[in-house]
């Protein structure tokens, strides 16, 4: 593992999904056939398997909400509303949830969605992706083809809120499902085709129990460079893009009659990770020194254009689990240098490079090639650490490689 993978700077990036539509008095977009009723959606990560049990981070996760269904979903007020689940109730005395399913719900191969499918989906996905939530479950029982009970190990009146993101997939039958080429879900769109990692097409599910979608098709495009998505939006080649850069967001506001902006704080963060098994980063004083050396407020204000916040951990500032008492380490390079000196680092004879036991403080920082903003941030971090006497190299890699 390279000596980079560092974890100090945490900044939430701009999340702006953009939907285009024609308006008079703005640049003319590329014309499409009037008969086309297709939504084009650009994502900046390649498409891998379409199996939600196995996939953690890829372009495929953008497809799952249309291809698969959930038991329930939260509305704008955060209250769960039924989808595959018709109703649910809780026996607080016995720590048991009972969930009844919609009888009309079908998978794309016409098979009914059953309690056995829900049990399989919950067990496999929670075990693979949310082991802490899986550990809350004592036992899952099938009450009938359309009903299931989940007995917990302790009282939890909010348990459904913790499992609603579980994609319901069919329980394996006689053979294995080909989730790469022929995935089967129960969502409003069914799989139509794919072109390797580059493109996946979905078609409206005519048998969807809540009614056929009004859009005929959704085509997902893997576009690694977000700048290309920006030009594709302007030319009308695509309809929806994610995480438009602050610079482009400012430019595109002049076309606000043509675009819809969904501006929100992403429930994620950008983080530099340390390889603490490496002696370079094993000393906590070194990690604290790097935190003091990087001006995160500058990153938010100047590079992100104010579209972000400085965070102090994985619980975002909007999370109910965020601890407001925990504050980020302040930008204080002098304090950082004292910590490095206490950890045994000192300047070489020229007073430029930090060394210890004759070895310079140098490492390589990996960065996603798909994000122009993150590359800007990485270059700024290199400048900050260089001022302290630390040599940082940058290596740009595909996001798919870093997510492995």
């Amino acid at each position: 593992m390279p000596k980079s993978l560092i974890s100090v700077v945490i900044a939430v990036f701009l999340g702006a999904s953009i939907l285009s539509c024609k308006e008079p008095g703005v640049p003319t977009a590329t014309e499409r056939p009037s008969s086309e009723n297709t939504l084009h959606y650009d994502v900046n990560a390649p498409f891998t398997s379409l199996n939600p049990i196995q996939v953690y981070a890829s372009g495929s996760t953008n497809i799952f909400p249309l291809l698969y269904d959930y038991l329930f979903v939260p509305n704008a007020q955060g209250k769960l509303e039924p989808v595959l689940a018709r109703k649910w109730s809780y026996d607080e005395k016995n720590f048991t949830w009972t969930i009844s399913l919609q009888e009309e719900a079908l998978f794309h191969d016409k098979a009914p969605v059953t309690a056995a499918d829900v049990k399989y989906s919950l067990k496999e996905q929670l075990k693979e992706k949310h082991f802490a939530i899986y550990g809350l479950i004592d036992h899952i029982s099938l009450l009938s083809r359309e009903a299931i009970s989940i007995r917990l190990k302790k009282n939890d009146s909010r348990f459904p809120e913790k499992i609603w993101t579980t994609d319901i997939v069919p329980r394996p039958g006689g053979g294995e499902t080909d989730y790469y080429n022929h995935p089967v879900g129960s969502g409003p769109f069914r799989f139509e085709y794919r072109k390797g990692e580059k493109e996946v097409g979905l078609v409206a599910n005519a048998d969807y129990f809540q009614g056929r979608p009004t859009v005929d098709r959704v085509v997902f495009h893997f576009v690694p460079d977000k700048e290309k998505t920006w030009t594709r939006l302007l030319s009308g080649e695509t309809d929806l893009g994610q995480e438009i850069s602050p610079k482009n967001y400012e430019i595109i506001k002049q076309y606000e009659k043509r675009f819809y902006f969904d501006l929100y704080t992403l429930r994620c963060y950008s983080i530099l990770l340390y390889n603490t098994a490496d002696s370079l980063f094993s000393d906590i004083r070194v990690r604290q020194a790097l935190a003091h050396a990087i001006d995160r407020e500058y990153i938010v204000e100047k590079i992100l254009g104010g579209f972000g916040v400085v965070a102090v951990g994985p619980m975002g500032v909007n999370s109910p689990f965020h601890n407001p008492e925990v504050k980020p380490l302040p930008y204080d390079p002098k304090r950082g240098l004292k910590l490095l000196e206490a950890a045994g680092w000192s300047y070489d004879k020229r007073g430029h490079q930090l060394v210890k036991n004759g070895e310079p403080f140098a490492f390589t920082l990996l960065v996603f090639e798909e994000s122009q903003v993150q590359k800007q941030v990485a270059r700024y971090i290199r400048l900050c650490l260089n001022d302290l006497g630390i040599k940082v190299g940058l290596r740009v890699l595909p996001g798919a490689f870093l997510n492995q």
Side-chain angles (χ1 to χ4, degrees), residues 91-313:
D91 180 348
E92 187 172 349
K93 182 178 180 181
N94 296 306
F95 307 155
T96 301
W97 283 94
T98 300
I99 301 173
S100 299
L101 304 179
Q102 307 278 1
E103 297 180 5
E104 302 85 1
L106 300 175
F107 285 111
H108 299 151
D109 60 1
K110 310 294 187 181
V113 178
T114 69
D117 299 310
V118 173
K119 177 179 179 179
Y120 169 77
S121 301
L122 286 171
K123 289 186 65 175
E124 295 304 314
Q125 288 185 57
L126 294 179
K127 184 168 56 177
E128 287 294 320
K129 296 182 176 180
H130 306 287
F131 195 75
I133 299 174
Y134 181 72
L136 299 175
I137 299 174
D138 181 53
H139 187 69
I140 302 178
S141 302
L142 302 178
L143 304 180
S144 68
R145 197 183 80 160
E146 290 87 23
I148 190 172
S149 72
I150 305 173
R151 188 173 70 234
L152 306 178
K153 295 177 180 178
K154 61 180 181 180
N155 181 41
D156 192 342
S157 60
R158 301 181 63 180
F159 184 73
E161 298 172 26
K162 299 175 181 178
I163 64 170
W164 79 262
T165 57
T166 302
D167 303 275
I168 303 304
V169 301
R171 182 183 56 163
E176 289 293 323
T177 302
D178 182 357
Y179 278 101
Y180 191 87
N181 296 300
H182 300 288
V184 175
S186 65
F189 290 85
R190 57 181 175 82
F191 179 84
E192 185 178 26
Y193 72 90
R194 77 178 295 159
K195 296 179 181 178
E197 296 181 338
K198 301 292 185 181
E199 183 176 312
V200 174
L202 305 182
V203 65
N205 178 10
D207 299 316
Y208 190 53
F209 73 99
Q210 290 189 333
R212 182 192 184 281
T214 56
V215 174
D216 293 334
R217 282 181 172 80
V218 180
V219 179
F220 293 86
H221 305 272
F222 166 42
V223 181
D225 190 342
K226 293 178 183 178
E227 291 294 309
K228 290 184 179 179
T229 288
W230 149 252
T231 57
R232 281 165 54 81
L233 281 164
L234 288 177
S235 66
E237 294 177 72
T238 194
D239 301 300
L240 200 138
Q242 298 175 322
E243 298 178 49
I244 302 303
S245 70
K247 175 189 70 176
N248 289 339
Y249 176 70
E250 291 298 327
I251 295 172
I252 206 172
K253 281 199 299 186
Q254 64 181 301
Y255 304 133
E256 59 186 359
K257 290 185 178 181
R258 180 178 149 194
F259 293 91
Y260 168 74
F261 298 90
D262 185 10
L263 188 63
Y264 58 95
T265 302
L266 292 172
R267 286 186 167 230
C268 66
Y269 53 93
S270 290
I271 185 170
L272 293 168
L273 297 174
Y274 295 109
N275 176 12
T276 54
D278 191 309
S279 59
L280 197 62
F281 302 113
S282 59
D283 192 322
I284 190 173
R285 292 171 295 184
V286 171
R287 303 196 296 271
Q288 291 172 340
L290 295 180
H292 284 298
I294 301 170
D295 189 348
R296 284 158 288 176
E297 293 288 353
Y298 179 92
I299 292 174
V300 169
E301 294 302 319
K302 301 300 183 180
I303 300 179
L304 302 183
F307 294 111
V309 294
V310 174
V312 291

